[in-house]
Amino acid sequence: MATLCFQSPTKPISYFHPKSKPSPPLSTKVSLFRCRASLQTLVAVEPEPVFTSVKTFAPATVANLGPGFDFLGCAVDGLGDHVTLRVDPSVRAGEVLISEITGTTTKLTTNPLRNCAGIAAIATMKMLGIRSVGLSLDLHKGLPLGSGLGSSAASAAAAAVAVNEIFGRKLGKGELVLAGLESEAKVSGYHADNIAPAIMGGFVLIRSYEPLDLKPLRFPEDKELFFVLVSPEFEAPTKKMRAALPTEIPMVHHVWNSSQAAALVAAVLEGDAAMLGKALSSDKVVEPTRAPLIPGMEAVKKAALEGGAFGCTISGAGPTAVAVGDAAEKGEEVGERMVEAFMRGGNLKAVACVKKLDKIGARLVSSISR
């Protein structure tokens, strides 16, 4: 694995009992980590490209899943970003040129040092030790910015996988997650609950950030699970939504959220959509501070639950709301109710879709051999 270095922040998060002043016996301090990653070359001999061009896809993701802030996420099918990558003799060896950005937004920079896809592509090239080949990259955005569906992670995942594929798939998914984290750290913060499921597919638990330890959670094949994703016409930048989070929480909320996160993991492994929904709806730390920043969110959650959803919360940093169920038809009905609630409670237009779990993650779509 590539080397990851971390540093503790100057201000840790404290959990304290609400009826007493914080003290060592009642206080649990959890360090947050910022990445000062040093990505090492992992391949002994620089690989040659096996394709002249590749096209890849990376799915949208739902991070946090309620109580799993920064350590739980999953991929959803059918939505995401595409990257087309080509060996380009006109590009300086060892570098990446972003030649075109299309899709839901064209306002992203084409500077590869400041673009999610560019940063991840460069990080992957560094891991592979690419010094003799230049690449040009086209990014097609299927996800809007600031949607709460892992837009930056989808771009990074698609780019990292594209570089890996064009050079013969020398890196494993764990290494590709590290490359994607280089991008996430510079764009929205060092958190893997979008980039890990975007690359690995399915549900992923981030057991540890120091060192990075990822645990795929397998939802049973014979069980049904549907996500109702309702996205309003409202942008919620991740950095802004993270800035709204509390720096201290009561010990009772820490205990509650821990139990709900554990229940959510059990529900995933057992294929229990109803329990998954209950746990997903039960966050007492993050959702209460973010929901008021999304017009109509409280009404949307109420509408989803009254409409028969097993649970509802904010997807990632928002503003997309996600509800879960075990039937597509019921999901369509719930989605309509949630769209109406966004208009009624927040005066926001919104669109709804019902999607299944993406169990594959970022993948090669097409290629042209040399």
Side-chain angles (χ1 to χ4, degrees), residues 274-351:
M275 182 165 70
L276 191 157
K278 289 180 181 178
L280 177 140
S281 285
S282 300
D283 174 33
K284 289 187 177 180
V285 175
V286 176
E287 183 183 317
T289 63
R290 286 179 167 174
L293 303 178
I294 303 171
M297 182 62 211
E298 293 180 7
V300 170
K301 181 171 184 174
K302 181 179 180 182
L305 297 177
E306 290 179 350
F310 292 145
C312 179
T313 190
I314 302 168
S315 177
T320 294
V322 56
V324 295
D326 61 359
E329 296 79 8
K330 174 58 73 173
E332 297 287 352
E333 296 175 13
V334 169
E336 292 177 5
R337 285 173 173 258
M338 293 169 70
V339 168
E340 293 172 359
F342 259 126
M343 177 56 70
R344 184 177 64 255
N347 197 31
L348 293 176
K349 294 180 180 179
V351 294

Side-chain angles (χ1 to χ4, degrees), residues 190-268:
Y190 190 77
H191 53 91
D193 47 349
N194 287 116
I195 190 65
I199 288 175
M200 301 170 69
F203 288 90
V204 180
L205 164 68
I206 296 91
R207 190 199 68 80
S208 168
Y209 278 93
E210 185 188 14
L212 186 66
D213 188 2
L214 307 172
K215 301 297 181 184
L217 305 174
R218 305 299 181 192
F219 192 86
E221 294 286 345
D222 61 340
K223 301 289 186 177
E224 294 284 5
L225 179 64
F226 292 90
F227 298 90
V228 184
L229 303 170
V230 182
S231 301
E233 293 182 355
F234 182 79
E235 188 171 332
T238 301
K239 286 187 177 180
K240 176 181 177 181
M241 298 302 277
R242 291 181 81 85
L245 298 178
T247 56
E248 295 182 336
I249 64 171
M251 176 64 81
V252 65
H253 288 175
H254 165 59
V255 173
W256 172 263
N257 263 40
S258 298
S259 66
Q260 298 310 307
L264 197 151
V265 170
V268 169

